[in-house]
Structures are given as structure tokens and as C-alpha cells.
Amino acid sequence: EGFVAPSLRGTTMAYQVKAYEVNYFVESRWQSSPSTMIVSALAGALQSAGVFSAVVLAPPYVGPVDQEVDVNLLNLTQVFDADLQHSNEHVTVQLVLSNGRTGQLQGVKTFDLNVPAGRTPESGVVAANQALQQMLPRILSTIYSTTNS
């Protein structure tokens, strides 16, 4: 887990009606911090894909690693239209890949999606999950191509 945008730290669910104005739902929260959920999903996908012999979430792991993957959560906001009838879940995740032995930067790639959602926080959660499911194969492909180049 790398950088998390300040507005996304914790379990509050962000939404936006006006540009550059972030608000939070009062009665709805994420089950866990969004960055933790995203990193866990990525670790599970990496383990299942068999790209690496082992996938370790750090901390608390201390030891040598071949590849370091940092996930930066830059945006996870439900953006409503002016009449509050429709929204999109805007998800931006940045991947930073480094050689675990040398620390050399191998690549940085940003994944940005807008997935249609409805009028409720629950529809934003469904859209966020859809966005993650769309991103994961592309993230895995980026990691695989970077580590095998």
C-alpha cells in the first residue's frame, strides 16, 4: 500500500456534486479502508495468477523481495450530475513498480475509470467493485510485462 489521497483515508465514502468539492456520506461507510481492500484484491489476484512464487503484503514482512509493487489510491469518489439523479464512480489507482533488490524504479502507470452508478451510496459501491474488476487484469498485465522485460 502506497500513497492514499487525504480525502480517502479512513472509511468515509466520498461523493462530489460540484467540481473540486468533496463531501462525505453521513450514514454510509466502507467496511475497511478502500486502499486496504484494493491492495488485498490485487494481492489475491497476483497470488492466483501465479506470476510470483509468493505474494507478501508489507508491513509486517521484513526480508528480501524481488519485486516491489506500490499501489497509490488517488481517487475513489462518486460524482453526481447536477440534478443528483445519476452518478459515476471515479476510480484512479497508480501503480509504481520497483526492483526489490536494487530499488530501481521500473515503471509507473495510472489506471483511471468512470463507471456508471445510481443515486445511492450502495450503487457507488457496486460501481467501485466493477471498476476494480475491470482494472485488475490490466494491472496484472502491467506487472507481468514490467517484471519480464
Side-chain angles (χ1 to χ4, degrees), residues 75-142:
N75 197 3
L76 181 62
T77 306
Q78 191 171 357
V79 181
F80 285 89
D81 62 8
D83 62 5
L84 303 177
Q85 296 302 306
H86 305 283
S87 69
N88 284 305
E89 189 71 28
H90 184 193
V91 183
T92 308
V93 173
Q94 183 183 63
L95 197 63
V96 180
L97 303 166
S98 304
N99 182 302
R101 294 180 181 161
T102 66
Q104 180 181 3
L105 180 66
Q106 294 173 301
V108 177
K109 181 156 179 145
T110 302
F111 302 87
D112 188 71
L113 281 176
N114 284 296
V115 176
R119 302 180 335 178
T120 65
E122 292 81 10
S123 69
V125 171
V126 170
N129 285 324
Q130 290 172 346
L132 183 59
Q133 292 309 308
Q134 290 176 35
M135 279 184 186
L136 280 175
R138 297 189 316 198
I139 290 172
L140 290 175
S141 177
T142 299

Side-chain angles (χ1 to χ4, degrees), residues 1 39 43 46-47 52-62 64-65 67 69:
E1 187 174 330
V39 168
L46 281 170
Q47 190 68 47
F52 300 105
S53 57
V55 176
V56 180
L57 294 175
Y61 178 78
V62 177
V65 295
Q67 183 69 46
V69 178

Side-chain angles (χ1 to χ4, degrees), residues 9-28:
R9 295 178 185 157
T11 58
T12 56
M13 295 175 67
Y15 73 92
Q16 193 173 23
V17 176
K18 296 179 182 173
Y20 307 107
E21 184 179 297
V22 176
N23 300 293
Y24 300 96
F25 290 107
V26 175
E27 296 180 11
S28 298

